[in-house]
Short mmCIF file of all heavy atoms in Angstrom, two decimals:
data_model
loop_
_atom_site.label_atom_id
_atom_site.label_comp_id
_atom_site.label_asym_id
_atom_site.label_seq_id
_atom_site.Cartn_x
_atom_site.Cartn_y
_atom_site.Cartn_z
N ARG A 135 -11.09 -1.43 -2.91
CA ARG A 135 -12.07 -1.94 -1.85
C ARG A 135 -11.39 -2.10 -0.50
O ARG A 135 -10.13 -2.36 -0.46
CB ARG A 135 -12.74 -3.26 -2.32
CG ARG A 135 -13.43 -3.20 -3.60
CD ARG A 135 -14.62 -2.43 -3.66
NE ARG A 135 -15.45 -2.28 -4.88
CZ ARG A 135 -15.19 -1.27 -5.91
NH1 ARG A 135 -14.30 -0.29 -5.63
NH2 ARG A 135 -15.86 -1.36 -6.91
N LEU A 136 -12.09 -1.96 0.51
CA LEU A 136 -11.50 -1.97 1.88
C LEU A 136 -10.88 -3.29 2.04
O LEU A 136 -9.89 -3.43 2.79
CB LEU A 136 -12.52 -1.77 2.92
CG LEU A 136 -13.14 -0.44 3.06
CD1 LEU A 136 -14.24 -0.31 4.02
CD2 LEU A 136 -12.15 0.74 3.28
N GLU A 137 -11.23 -4.38 1.45
CA GLU A 137 -10.75 -5.75 1.79
C GLU A 137 -9.57 -6.08 0.82
O GLU A 137 -9.01 -7.12 0.93
CB GLU A 137 -11.84 -6.76 1.57
CG GLU A 137 -12.40 -6.93 0.19
CD GLU A 137 -13.57 -5.84 -0.04
OE1 GLU A 137 -13.97 -5.06 0.94
OE2 GLU A 137 -14.13 -5.86 -1.07
N ASP A 138 -9.14 -5.06 -0.04
CA ASP A 138 -7.98 -5.40 -0.91
C ASP A 138 -6.80 -5.42 -0.12
O ASP A 138 -6.63 -4.55 0.75
CB ASP A 138 -7.90 -4.36 -1.96
CG ASP A 138 -9.00 -4.35 -3.10
OD1 ASP A 138 -9.59 -5.39 -3.23
OD2 ASP A 138 -9.19 -3.28 -3.64
N SER A 139 -5.95 -6.41 -0.32
CA SER A 139 -4.76 -6.52 0.42
C SER A 139 -3.56 -5.78 -0.16
O SER A 139 -3.57 -5.56 -1.44
CB SER A 139 -4.28 -8.01 0.51
OG SER A 139 -3.76 -8.38 -0.72
N ILE A 140 -2.80 -5.11 0.61
CA ILE A 140 -1.68 -4.28 0.20
C ILE A 140 -0.64 -5.17 -0.55
O ILE A 140 -0.13 -4.78 -1.50
CB ILE A 140 -1.07 -3.56 1.25
CG1 ILE A 140 -2.06 -2.52 2.00
CG2 ILE A 140 0.21 -2.84 0.84
CD1 ILE A 140 -2.50 -1.42 1.14
N SER A 141 -0.57 -6.45 -0.18
CA SER A 141 0.36 -7.42 -0.69
C SER A 141 0.04 -7.61 -2.22
O SER A 141 0.81 -7.82 -3.11
CB SER A 141 0.63 -8.60 0.07
OG SER A 141 -0.59 -9.38 0.24
N ALA A 142 -1.28 -7.67 -2.47
CA ALA A 142 -1.84 -7.91 -3.80
C ALA A 142 -1.41 -6.72 -4.76
O ALA A 142 -1.03 -6.94 -5.84
CB ALA A 142 -3.32 -8.14 -3.89
N LEU A 143 -1.62 -5.48 -4.21
CA LEU A 143 -1.14 -4.29 -4.85
C LEU A 143 0.36 -4.25 -5.23
O LEU A 143 0.89 -3.99 -6.21
CB LEU A 143 -1.54 -3.10 -4.13
CG LEU A 143 -3.02 -2.86 -4.02
CD1 LEU A 143 -3.39 -1.71 -2.94
CD2 LEU A 143 -3.66 -2.60 -5.27
N GLN A 144 1.17 -4.71 -4.11
CA GLN A 144 2.62 -4.79 -4.16
C GLN A 144 2.94 -5.76 -5.29
O GLN A 144 3.95 -5.58 -6.15
CB GLN A 144 3.29 -5.16 -2.88
CG GLN A 144 3.15 -3.95 -1.99
CD GLN A 144 3.47 -4.37 -0.58
OE1 GLN A 144 3.37 -5.56 -0.08
NE2 GLN A 144 3.95 -3.38 0.13
N ALA A 145 2.24 -6.86 -5.44
CA ALA A 145 2.49 -7.94 -6.38
C ALA A 145 2.47 -7.39 -7.84
O ALA A 145 3.21 -7.64 -8.70
CB ALA A 145 1.67 -9.11 -6.24
N MET A 146 1.32 -6.54 -7.92
CA MET A 146 1.20 -5.89 -9.29
C MET A 146 2.13 -4.90 -9.58
O MET A 146 2.74 -4.63 -10.59
CB MET A 146 -0.19 -5.21 -9.35
CG MET A 146 -1.29 -5.81 -10.13
SD MET A 146 -2.73 -4.81 -10.42
CE MET A 146 -3.00 -3.93 -8.78
N ASP A 147 2.62 -4.19 -8.42
CA ASP A 147 3.63 -3.10 -8.45
C ASP A 147 5.08 -3.71 -8.81
O ASP A 147 5.92 -2.97 -9.30
CB ASP A 147 3.64 -2.44 -7.16
CG ASP A 147 4.56 -1.23 -7.19
OD1 ASP A 147 4.59 -0.41 -8.14
OD2 ASP A 147 5.24 -1.04 -6.06
N SER A 148 5.18 -4.99 -8.66
CA SER A 148 6.49 -5.62 -8.84
C SER A 148 6.98 -5.37 -10.29
O SER A 148 8.11 -5.38 -10.57
CB SER A 148 6.49 -7.13 -8.49
OG SER A 148 5.72 -7.71 -9.42
N TRP A 149 6.02 -5.20 -11.22
CA TRP A 149 6.38 -4.90 -12.63
C TRP A 149 7.06 -3.59 -12.80
O TRP A 149 7.70 -3.31 -13.72
CB TRP A 149 5.10 -4.94 -13.53
CG TRP A 149 4.54 -6.37 -13.68
CD1 TRP A 149 3.64 -6.90 -12.96
CD2 TRP A 149 5.14 -7.42 -14.63
NE1 TRP A 149 3.39 -8.20 -13.43
CE2 TRP A 149 4.36 -8.55 -14.49
CE3 TRP A 149 6.04 -7.39 -15.49
CZ2 TRP A 149 4.57 -9.62 -15.13
CZ3 TRP A 149 6.29 -8.45 -16.22
CH2 TRP A 149 5.48 -9.61 -16.01
N ALA A 150 6.69 -2.64 -11.82
CA ALA A 150 7.41 -1.28 -11.82
C ALA A 150 8.50 -1.18 -10.77
O ALA A 150 8.93 -0.16 -10.29
CB ALA A 150 6.30 -0.35 -11.55
N LEU A 151 9.07 -2.34 -10.31
CA LEU A 151 10.13 -2.47 -9.43
C LEU A 151 9.90 -1.78 -8.22
O LEU A 151 10.69 -1.25 -7.46
CB LEU A 151 11.34 -1.97 -10.07
CG LEU A 151 11.96 -2.60 -11.39
CD1 LEU A 151 13.13 -1.90 -12.01
CD2 LEU A 151 12.06 -4.07 -11.24
N GLY A 152 8.63 -1.90 -7.71
CA GLY A 152 8.28 -1.53 -6.29
C GLY A 152 8.24 -0.02 -6.16
O GLY A 152 8.09 0.45 -5.04
N LYS A 153 7.94 0.81 -7.15
CA LYS A 153 7.90 2.19 -7.07
C LYS A 153 6.68 2.60 -6.37
O LYS A 153 6.72 3.49 -5.47
CB LYS A 153 7.69 2.88 -8.46
CG LYS A 153 7.70 4.42 -8.35
CD LYS A 153 7.66 5.02 -9.65
CE LYS A 153 7.54 6.58 -9.58
NZ LYS A 153 7.19 7.20 -8.31
N GLY A 154 5.47 2.01 -6.46
CA GLY A 154 4.29 2.34 -5.66
C GLY A 154 4.49 1.98 -4.25
O GLY A 154 3.95 2.76 -3.44
N GLN A 155 5.17 0.94 -3.88
CA GLN A 155 5.26 0.62 -2.55
C GLN A 155 6.23 1.68 -1.93
O GLN A 155 6.08 2.23 -0.78
CB GLN A 155 6.00 -0.84 -2.41
CG GLN A 155 6.19 -1.16 -0.86
CD GLN A 155 6.88 -2.57 -0.82
OE1 GLN A 155 6.84 -3.25 -1.75
NE2 GLN A 155 7.42 -2.80 0.44
N GLU A 156 7.26 2.09 -2.66
CA GLU A 156 8.16 3.10 -2.09
C GLU A 156 7.48 4.51 -1.93
O GLU A 156 7.64 5.15 -0.82
CB GLU A 156 9.35 3.36 -3.17
CG GLU A 156 10.34 2.17 -3.15
CD GLU A 156 11.34 2.39 -4.24
OE1 GLU A 156 11.34 3.39 -4.82
OE2 GLU A 156 12.12 1.38 -4.40
N ASP A 157 6.60 4.77 -2.83
CA ASP A 157 5.73 5.93 -2.78
C ASP A 157 4.77 5.90 -1.47
O ASP A 157 4.78 6.83 -0.75
CB ASP A 157 4.90 6.36 -3.91
CG ASP A 157 5.94 6.73 -5.21
OD1 ASP A 157 7.12 6.92 -4.99
OD2 ASP A 157 5.37 6.64 -6.23
N LEU A 158 4.26 4.80 -1.34
CA LEU A 158 3.31 4.67 -0.19
C LEU A 158 4.09 4.72 1.04
O LEU A 158 3.61 5.48 2.03
CB LEU A 158 2.49 3.28 -0.36
CG LEU A 158 1.67 2.93 0.83
CD1 LEU A 158 0.43 4.03 0.92
CD2 LEU A 158 0.93 1.63 0.72
N GLU A 159 5.22 4.12 1.22
CA GLU A 159 5.97 4.15 2.40
C GLU A 159 6.48 5.63 2.71
O GLU A 159 6.51 5.89 3.90
CB GLU A 159 7.17 3.26 2.40
CG GLU A 159 6.72 1.70 2.41
CD GLU A 159 7.84 0.70 2.18
OE1 GLU A 159 8.93 0.99 1.88
OE2 GLU A 159 7.46 -0.57 2.35
N ALA A 160 6.78 6.23 1.71
CA ALA A 160 7.22 7.63 1.86
C ALA A 160 6.09 8.53 2.39
O ALA A 160 6.20 9.36 3.40
CB ALA A 160 7.77 8.29 0.62
N TRP A 161 4.90 8.41 1.95
CA TRP A 161 3.76 8.99 2.42
C TRP A 161 3.41 8.58 3.80
O TRP A 161 3.09 9.43 4.64
CB TRP A 161 2.50 8.71 1.42
CG TRP A 161 1.25 9.50 1.89
CD1 TRP A 161 0.91 10.77 1.70
CD2 TRP A 161 0.21 8.85 2.77
NE1 TRP A 161 -0.24 11.03 2.25
CE2 TRP A 161 -0.75 9.90 2.83
CE3 TRP A 161 -0.11 7.54 3.30
CZ2 TRP A 161 -2.00 9.71 3.54
CZ3 TRP A 161 -1.30 7.50 3.92
CH2 TRP A 161 -2.20 8.47 4.10
N LEU A 162 3.49 7.33 4.14
CA LEU A 162 3.23 6.89 5.55
C LEU A 162 4.26 7.52 6.47
O LEU A 162 3.90 7.90 7.52
CB LEU A 162 3.38 5.44 5.60
CG LEU A 162 2.09 4.62 5.07
CD1 LEU A 162 2.46 3.13 4.85
CD2 LEU A 162 0.85 4.81 5.73
N ARG A 163 5.45 7.49 6.09
CA ARG A 163 6.61 8.19 6.91
C ARG A 163 6.19 9.67 7.17
O ARG A 163 6.38 10.09 8.35
CB ARG A 163 8.00 7.91 6.34
CG ARG A 163 8.71 6.67 6.49
CD ARG A 163 10.07 6.67 6.24
NE ARG A 163 10.39 7.15 4.81
CZ ARG A 163 10.26 6.22 3.75
NH1 ARG A 163 10.01 5.02 3.87
NH2 ARG A 163 10.49 6.61 2.53
N SER A 164 5.64 10.31 6.26
CA SER A 164 5.39 11.67 6.35
C SER A 164 4.20 11.92 7.46
O SER A 164 3.94 12.91 8.02
CB SER A 164 4.95 12.41 5.06
OG SER A 164 3.66 11.97 4.53
N ARG A 165 3.42 10.86 7.53
CA ARG A 165 2.31 10.74 8.60
C ARG A 165 2.70 10.18 9.83
O ARG A 165 1.79 10.05 10.75
CB ARG A 165 1.21 10.02 7.98
CG ARG A 165 0.61 10.61 6.58
CD ARG A 165 -0.73 10.64 6.29
NE ARG A 165 -1.68 10.55 7.29
CZ ARG A 165 -2.81 11.04 7.30
NH1 ARG A 165 -3.11 11.89 6.26
NH2 ARG A 165 -3.76 10.97 8.12
N GLY A 166 4.00 9.92 10.03
CA GLY A 166 4.43 9.34 11.26
C GLY A 166 4.42 7.91 11.39
O GLY A 166 4.58 7.33 12.50
N VAL A 167 4.06 7.14 10.31
CA VAL A 167 4.03 5.73 10.47
C VAL A 167 5.37 5.22 10.03
O VAL A 167 5.83 5.46 9.00
CB VAL A 167 2.98 4.99 9.42
CG1 VAL A 167 3.01 3.60 9.44
CG2 VAL A 167 1.53 5.60 9.87
N LYS A 168 5.94 4.43 11.05
CA LYS A 168 7.37 4.07 10.92
C LYS A 168 7.60 2.94 9.88
O LYS A 168 8.46 2.84 9.12
CB LYS A 168 8.06 3.73 12.25
CG LYS A 168 8.03 4.86 13.11
CD LYS A 168 9.08 5.97 12.86
CE LYS A 168 9.12 7.05 13.88
NZ LYS A 168 9.00 8.31 13.31
N SER A 169 6.72 2.03 9.94
CA SER A 169 6.92 0.74 9.21
C SER A 169 5.52 0.26 8.81
O SER A 169 4.48 0.37 9.56
CB SER A 169 7.65 -0.31 9.83
OG SER A 169 7.10 -0.89 10.91
N LEU A 170 5.46 -0.48 7.73
CA LEU A 170 4.21 -1.05 7.26
C LEU A 170 4.26 -2.56 7.16
O LEU A 170 5.05 -3.09 6.45
CB LEU A 170 3.83 -0.54 5.94
CG LEU A 170 2.57 -1.05 5.29
CD1 LEU A 170 1.34 -0.72 6.02
CD2 LEU A 170 2.38 -0.45 3.87
N ARG A 171 3.63 -3.24 8.02
CA ARG A 171 3.63 -4.69 8.02
C ARG A 171 2.48 -5.07 6.93
O ARG A 171 1.38 -4.86 7.09
CB ARG A 171 3.13 -5.33 9.38
CG ARG A 171 2.94 -6.70 9.46
CD ARG A 171 2.33 -7.28 10.68
NE ARG A 171 1.03 -6.64 11.04
CZ ARG A 171 -0.17 -7.12 10.45
NH1 ARG A 171 -0.06 -8.22 9.63
NH2 ARG A 171 -1.36 -6.43 10.64
N THR A 172 3.04 -5.44 5.90
CA THR A 172 2.18 -5.72 4.61
C THR A 172 1.53 -7.10 4.61
O THR A 172 0.58 -7.21 3.92
CB THR A 172 2.87 -5.38 3.40
OG1 THR A 172 4.02 -6.30 3.29
CG2 THR A 172 3.36 -3.99 3.20
N LYS A 173 2.02 -7.97 5.26
CA LYS A 173 1.56 -9.46 5.17
C LYS A 173 0.14 -9.44 5.84
O LYS A 173 -0.10 -9.15 6.93
CB LYS A 173 2.46 -10.47 5.86
CG LYS A 173 2.05 -11.85 5.61
CD LYS A 173 3.25 -12.49 4.90
CE LYS A 173 2.98 -13.90 4.79
NZ LYS A 173 3.27 -14.29 3.36
N GLY A 174 -0.83 -9.56 5.02
CA GLY A 174 -2.26 -9.66 5.45
C GLY A 174 -2.93 -8.33 5.73
O GLY A 174 -4.09 -8.32 6.10
N ILE A 175 -2.32 -7.25 5.54
CA ILE A 175 -2.83 -5.90 5.87
C ILE A 175 -3.72 -5.49 4.61
O ILE A 175 -3.34 -5.73 3.54
CB ILE A 175 -1.79 -4.77 6.18
CG1 ILE A 175 -2.50 -3.60 6.72
CG2 ILE A 175 -0.94 -4.54 4.95
CD1 ILE A 175 -1.56 -2.43 7.14
N THR A 176 -4.92 -4.89 4.85
CA THR A 176 -5.84 -4.56 3.93
C THR A 176 -5.83 -3.02 3.82
O THR A 176 -5.23 -2.40 4.72
CB THR A 176 -7.22 -5.02 4.15
OG1 THR A 176 -7.65 -4.56 5.31
CG2 THR A 176 -7.21 -6.57 4.29
N ILE A 177 -6.59 -2.53 2.93
CA ILE A 177 -6.82 -1.13 2.75
C ILE A 177 -7.55 -0.57 3.90
O ILE A 177 -7.28 0.45 4.60
CB ILE A 177 -7.50 -0.63 1.54
CG1 ILE A 177 -6.49 -0.96 0.30
CG2 ILE A 177 -7.99 0.77 1.58
CD1 ILE A 177 -7.12 -0.57 -1.08
N ARG A 178 -8.39 -1.34 4.60
CA ARG A 178 -9.12 -1.05 5.64
C ARG A 178 -8.19 -0.81 6.86
O ARG A 178 -8.18 0.05 7.59
CB ARG A 178 -10.17 -2.17 6.10
CG ARG A 178 -10.88 -1.94 7.43
CD ARG A 178 -11.69 -3.11 7.88
NE ARG A 178 -12.46 -3.80 7.02
CZ ARG A 178 -13.64 -3.32 6.49
NH1 ARG A 178 -14.22 -2.43 7.18
NH2 ARG A 178 -14.27 -4.01 5.56
N ASP A 179 -7.32 -1.79 7.10
CA ASP A 179 -6.22 -1.83 8.08
C ASP A 179 -5.41 -0.52 7.89
O ASP A 179 -5.05 0.16 8.98
CB ASP A 179 -5.32 -3.05 8.13
CG ASP A 179 -6.09 -4.28 8.22
OD1 ASP A 179 -7.18 -4.34 9.01
OD2 ASP A 179 -5.75 -5.35 7.80
N LEU A 180 -4.97 -0.31 6.69
CA LEU A 180 -4.23 0.95 6.41
C LEU A 180 -5.02 2.16 6.80
O LEU A 180 -4.32 3.03 7.43
CB LEU A 180 -3.79 0.96 4.96
CG LEU A 180 -2.87 1.95 4.57
CD1 LEU A 180 -1.56 1.94 5.22
CD2 LEU A 180 -2.72 2.02 3.02
#
Side-chain angles (χ1 to χ4, degrees):
R135 302 296 181 261
L136 292 177
E137 62 277 359
D138 290 339
S139 73
I140 299 300
S141 58
L143 294 170
Q144 290 171 332
M146 252 189 324
D147 187 45
S148 67
W149 289 98
L151 302 177
K153 181 175 177 354
Q155 180 178 346
E156 290 173 8
D157 292 347
L158 179 60
E159 288 174 356
W161 180 79
L162 289 169
R163 280 192 303 276
S164 76
R165 300 210 29 140
V167 177
K168 301 287 186 230
S169 66
L170 177 62
R171 178 188 56 84
T172 57
K173 192 118 177 132
I175 191 171
T176 63
I177 290 178
R178 174 191 315 277
D179 299 329
L180 185 63

